[in-house]
Amino acid sequence: FSFDPLTMKVDLKLTGAAVHNVELSDSATGNITRIDNAIDAIPDRLAMAKRRLADLHTQVAAAEEELRREFPRADELREKAARLAQLNAELTLQERKQTPKDENNKPESETALQPVSDDAPEFVRSVNF
């Protein structure tokens, strides 16, 4: 038995190889009818579970057979993958040629501090580095 105080429901669990839930009410005869219905539904639920299991076995067998077969367009896939790798390599090389050098890659003479020009504002000229 279980009781939910929020919904004020009492549930009965018939436990065997599987669990069958029955919601109980205030009526004793209604509860007996619900329990009988749950027990009567067990063969139908079992048959449905067996059909589902058989379907799953069929699906597994079909999937295993599909795995054994070679992909029909495997050669084309390999060719296109090789071409894609070649194009990516060319693009990377081309990007390296076109990308200007960043500050970290400049020679030291280009990154050295330059003297402050005479036309710079006074507060800039007064800062000592």
Side-chain angles (χ1 to χ4, degrees), residues 4-25:
D4 184 358
L6 295 176
T7 60
M8 301 298 287
K9 291 182 182 178
V10 177
D11 290 323
L12 172 68
K13 293 184 181 192
L14 303 174
T15 307
V19 176
H20 308 278
N21 294 316
V22 179
E23 185 179 325
L24 301 178
S25 67

Side-chain angles (χ1 to χ4, degrees), residues 8 12 18 20 33 39 48 51 55-56 74 76 81 85 88 95-96 98 103 105-106 117 125 129:
M8 301 298 287
L12 172 68
H20 308 278
T33 302
I39 292 171
M48 186 170 56
R51 281 193 304 272
D55 289 344
L56 291 173
E76 182 182 353
N88 283 334
E95 285 176 359
R96 286 183 186 162
Q98 291 177 353
E103 289 295 319
N105 292 334
K106 285 186 178 179
S117 69
R125 284 184 277 140
F129 292 100

Side-chain angles (χ1 to χ4, degrees), residues 18 23 28-29 37 51 60 62 67 71 74 79 95 98 103 119:
E23 185 179 325
T29 56
N37 290 340
R51 281 193 304 272
V60 167
L67 284 173
F71 180 57
E79 289 172 9
E95 285 176 359
Q98 291 177 353
E103 289 295 319
D119 58 332

Side-chain angles (χ1 to χ4, degrees), residues 8 11 16-17 24 31 35-36 41 52 56 59 70 83 87 96 111 113:
M8 301 298 287
D11 290 323
L24 301 178
N31 290 339
I35 293 170
D36 283 341
R52 176 140 169 74
L56 291 173
Q59 290 175 12
E70 186 176 337
R83 177 71 176 137
L87 290 172
R96 286 183 186 162
T111 58
L113 292 175

Side-chain angles (χ1 to χ4, degrees), residues 10 12 14 16 27 32 35 38 51 80 82 88 91 94 114 116:
V10 177
L12 172 68
L14 303 174
S27 169
I32 291 174
I35 293 170
R51 281 193 304 272
K80 300 223 184 230
N88 283 334
L91 283 172
Q94 195 174 37
Q114 302 296 324
V116 178

Side-chain angles (χ1 to χ4, degrees), residues 1 40 50 57 64 66 69 85 87 97 101 114:
F1 287 99
D40 291 342
K50 286 182 179 181
H57 281 296
E64 286 174 346
E66 188 72 27
R69 282 193 244 150
L87 290 172
K97 288 180 181 177
K101 292 182 181 179
Q114 302 296 324

